[in-house]
Amino acid sequence: TVPASAAEMAREADVALLPGGAGLSALGEEDGAAALARLVRQVLRHSVRSRHPYFADKLYAGTEAVGMVGEMLASVINSNVHTFHASRVLTMLERECVRALGELVGFPRSCLDGLFCPGGSYSNLLAMFTALQVAKRTHRAGPRGGEAEPRWLIMCSEQAHYSVRMAAGLLGLDQAEARNGGAWDQGVGLVRCDRAGLMTEAALRQEVAAATEGTAAGL
C-alpha cells in the first residue's frame, strides 16, 4: 500500500542524509552502491506515476519517451545555453525550437527570436518587464518626453493569474493609486470578462479611460 500521509511516508521511506553531509562514497563501494540502489527503489516506489492514464493533475501531464531521453541527455552533458562556446549544438537546438514555435503562432521569419522560460509566472514577469521598458522608451521619445514619467499600470483580465500582481510588485508598479471601488489595485487594472471568460473591449476602454483621468495611474 502507498503511504497516505507525510507521517507514514517518513516511517517507510528513509531519505535521511548521512552525518556531516558525507556522500555515499563514505560507506565504501559495496555499501554505497547498495544504499544508492535502495534510494532509487524508494523514490520510484513512492513517486506519483505521471504516465498513468488516470493521472490528470494541473500544470503538467505524463512524459513522452523522447522527452525522458532528452532529460537524461541534458543531465549527462550538464551544459548551459548561456554562450555558444559553452553549449554549441544546444544553442542551435534552442534556436530551432524558437523558430518552430514562432512559426506555429504566425510570427514572420524576419523577427523570430526568443527564449524559453521555466514556467508561467516567470513568463508573465518577463513579458511585463519588456512591455514596461518599451512603454518608457516610447514615452521619452514622444512629444511628452520632457514631462515627468507617469505612473504605469498593467491592464489584464479579472481572471488573470495571480502572478501578474506579483510581477507588478517586483517591477515597482504596486505604487499606483488604488481606485475607489477596487477596479485596480497593486498597479494592476482588472478588466471585466463576459460569460465565456473573455475580456470585453468595452470594459477595457472604460478602464483605460478611468485610469488616464485626473491623478489616476498612467498607462
Side-chain angles (χ1 to χ4, degrees), residues 61 101 105 176:
L101 290 175
V105 297

Side-chain angles (χ1 to χ4, degrees), residues 7-183:
E8 293 178 5
M9 178 71 73
R11 289 193 296 267
E12 186 164 333
D14 180 15
V15 295
L17 298 177
L18 295 178
L24 292 177
S25 59
L27 301 177
E29 183 175 350
E30 184 174 346
D31 290 340
L36 179 60
R38 184 168 60 253
L39 178 60
V40 169
R41 288 195 298 270
Q42 289 187 21
V43 171
L44 290 176
R45 180 186 178 193
H46 298 299
S47 294
V48 175
R49 301 293 190 268
S50 61
R51 298 196 69 192
H52 194 282
Y54 290 162
F55 178 81
D57 198 2
K58 59 185 181 298
L59 301 181
Y60 73 109
T63 58
E64 295 289 341
V66 65
M68 290 189 288
V69 173
E71 288 277 3
M72 180 179 67
L73 184 60
S75 296
V76 170
I77 296 174
N78 192 32
S79 184
N80 198 321
V81 196
H82 63 295
T83 59
F84 178 76
H85 78 271
S87 58
R88 298 186 179 276
V89 69
L90 297 182
T91 298
M92 306 306 297
L93 285 171
E94 182 183 46
R95 296 180 63 179
E96 176 63 15
C97 290
V98 169
R99 180 200 63 78
L101 290 175
E103 291 182 347
L104 189 64
V105 297
F107 290 162
R109 277 180 172 266
S110 58
C111 67
L112 281 180
D113 197 2
L115 50 85
F116 289 93
C117 298
S121 295
Y122 183 81
S123 298
N124 285 337
L125 173 61
L126 179 62
M128 290 168 61
F129 173 80
T130 303
L132 180 61
Q133 298 310 306
V134 172
K136 288 183 176 181
R137 184 178 302 176
T138 302
H139 171 77
R140 298 190 188 105
R144 299 192 300 174
E147 300 178 7
E149 190 170 291
R151 290 181 177 179
W152 302 100
L153 177 70
I154 295 292
M155 289 291 185
C156 66
S157 161
E158 63 183 353
Q159 300 190 39
H161 194 257
Y162 66 85
S163 61
V164 173
R165 288 193 176 188
M166 296 175 61
L170 289 173
L171 296 175
L173 301 179
D174 56 348
Q175 301 303 313
E177 297 175 5
R179 179 182 173 188
N180 294 332

